[in-house]
């Protein structure tokens, strides 16, 4: 990272070198510590929902590593001269409510004065050292399951511009505030090989992280990727956040689009906030896993692609799955 010499420690199971969702530090044969941190500027107008979304997003990296969140600390930058403190109270209430839902406890935090409001959390979780899920352990024949729809970047851009219907606003807000806990709990009962969560790099950016260094390639089926209702139309109207173009530029060299319309391509690179888990699972169990997710109310979950034997580490995007 940036040419820095990275510190090493024999107990550091997952560190900066592997660029995974969180760091993992071995305590003993039964226990490892997961540590992660995330904060950002408001993504929605409602401060209580912003707090919930920021917390769900920060907790997500612990779930993506196969762990359970235990403690958390607030990170707050607040313009107290320009903004009423009741707004901050609502944000923090949203965060605490999500932590409670996750079964984690707030143990402290730090706030500074800043012109621009920012909120997030550092989260610490537990995991059994043998159950750590990393990104790059995808296996040939695995199917890829995504647990939440994508398009939050395009949708929030449209919401800010006043171009989104209330139904979309509610749907996207609820999805971003939803914990990945429920999908993670179901995942524990299945032979999952690799997992990550979908955030700022977009679906293809995070999939690229799984593929890079794995010695496998992946085929993705655009029409099977769950997308929020109306977002495809917004993408064809050109309502694309700048981050989507940056994501494309960064990963374009790894991706081959076969007859995939441009609006779909833009959605696949759309930066997500508090997105779903992307899970690589042995194909023999994939349908049963998907059914379990749906029974638990994770209704948008979908099988979106497949890992195949090809050391060139490519992502092939097709419109449809060939059967
Ligand atoms: Co992550
Ligand atoms: Co993160």
């Amino acid at each position: 990272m940036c040419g820095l010499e990275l510190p090493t420690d024999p107990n550091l199971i997952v560190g900066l070198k592997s660029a995974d969702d969180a760091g993992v530090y071995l305590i003993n044969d039964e226990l490892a510590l997961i540590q992660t941190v995330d904060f950002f500027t408001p993504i929605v107008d409602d401060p209580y929902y912003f707090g919930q979304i920021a917390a769900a997003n920060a907790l997500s990296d612990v779930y993506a590593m196969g762990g359970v969140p235990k403690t958390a600390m607030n990170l707050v930058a607040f313009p107290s001269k320009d903004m009423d403190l009741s707004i901050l109270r609502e944000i923090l209430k949203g965060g605490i409510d999500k932590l409670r839902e996750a079964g984690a406890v707030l143990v402290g935090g730090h706030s500074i004065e800043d012109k621009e409001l920012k909120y997030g959390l550092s989260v610490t979780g537990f995991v059994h050292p043998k159950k750590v899920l990393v990104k790059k352990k995808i296996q040939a024949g695995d199917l890829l399951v995504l647990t939440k729809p994508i398009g939050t970047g395009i949708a929030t851009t449209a919401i800010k511009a006043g171009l989104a219907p209330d139904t979309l606003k509610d749907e996207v807000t609820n999805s971003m505030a939803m914990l990945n806990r429920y999908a993670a709990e179901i995942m524990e009962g299945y032979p999952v090989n690799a997992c990550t969560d979908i955030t700022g790099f977009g679906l293809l950016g995070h999939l690229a992280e799984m593929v890079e260094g794995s010695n496998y390639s992946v085929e993705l089926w655009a029409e099977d990727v769950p997308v929020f209702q109306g977002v495809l139309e917004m993408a064809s109207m050109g309502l694309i956040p700048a981050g989507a173009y940056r994501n494309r530029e960064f990963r374009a060299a790894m991706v081959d689009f076969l007859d995939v319309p441009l609006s779909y391509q833009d959605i696949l690179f759309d930066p997500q906030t508090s997105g779903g888990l992307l899970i690589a699972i042995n194909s023999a169990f994939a349908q049963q896993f998907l059914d379990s997710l749906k029974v638990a109310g994770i209704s948008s979950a979908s099988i979106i692609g497949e890992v195949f034997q090809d050391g060139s580490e490519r992502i092939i995007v097709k419109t449809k799955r060939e059967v």
Side-chain angles (χ1 to χ4, degrees), residues 34-52:
I34 302 177
Q35 289 186 292
T36 181
V37 59
D38 232 313
F39 64 102
F40 44 66
T41 55
I43 182 94
V44 292
D45 285 339
D46 184 301
Y48 178 63
Y49 271 106
F50 172 49
Q52 287 193 45

Side-chain angles (χ1 to χ4, degrees), residues 243-260:
Y245 297 109
R246 283 197 297 272
N247 287 342
R248 175 193 283 266
E249 218 167 284
F250 182 43
R251 289 299 188 180
M254 273 183 77
V255 183
D256 299 316
F257 288 107
L258 307 185
D259 288 325
V260 178

Side-chain angles (χ1 to χ4, degrees), residues 5 69 71 97 99 103 108 123 127 131 135 142 162 168 171 186 199-200 209 222 240-241 244 247 265 289 320 322:
E5 195 183 315
T71 61
D97 283 355
L99 288 179
V123 182
V127 65
K131 291 192 168 171
K135 289 177 183 178
D142 279 358
L168 177 66
E171 205 188 330
I186 293 166
T199 52
E209 290 186 335
I240 315 289
N247 287 342
Q265 299 183 22
F289 176 54
K320 281 181 175 25
E322 280 152 33

Side-chain angles (χ1 to χ4, degrees), residues 20-22 36 38 57 60-61 64 135 196-199 206 209:
D20 222 298
D21 289 297
T36 181
D38 232 313
N57 183 74
S60 178
D61 280 325
K135 289 177 183 178
T196 190
D197 61 339
I198 306 304
T199 52
H206 290 279
E209 290 186 335

Side-chain angles (χ1 to χ4, degrees), residues 165-294:
D166 281 348
T167 46
L168 177 66
K169 194 175 164 177
D170 292 346
E171 205 188 330
V172 170
T173 304
N174 289 330
S175 177
M176 290 189 292
M178 184 180 161
L179 289 179
N180 280 329
R181 171 183 179 167
Y182 310 103
E185 283 174 353
I186 293 166
M187 184 163 72
E188 259 186 68
Y190 286 89
V192 164
N193 288 320
C195 177
T196 190
D197 61 339
I198 306 304
T199 52
F201 293 129
L203 175 60
L204 283 175
H206 290 279
L207 183 56
E209 290 186 335
M210 285 182 125
V211 171
E212 191 174 52
S214 71
N215 215 23
Y216 294 110
S217 291
V218 157
E219 189 176 293
L220 193 75
W221 311 306
E223 283 186 359
D224 292 330
V225 175
V227 178
F228 292 105
Q229 187 95 44
V231 161
L232 190 59
E233 291 70 22
M234 290 167 179
S236 18
M237 282 164 57
L239 274 170
I240 315 289
Y245 297 109
R246 283 197 297 272
N247 287 342
R248 175 193 283 266
E249 218 167 284
F250 182 43
R251 289 299 188 180
M254 273 183 77
V255 183
D256 299 316
F257 288 107
L258 307 185
D259 288 325
V260 178
L262 192 63
S263 46
Y264 262 113
Q265 299 183 22
D266 288 332
I267 292 172
L268 297 176
F269 278 117
D270 184 43
Q272 304 300 289
T273 301
S274 192
L277 296 178
L278 178 60
I279 298 155
I281 180 170
N282 184 307
S283 64
F285 299 88
Q287 189 58 48
Q288 200 192 335
F289 176 54
L290 186 68
D291 294 343
S292 307
L293 289 170
K294 298 215 176 207

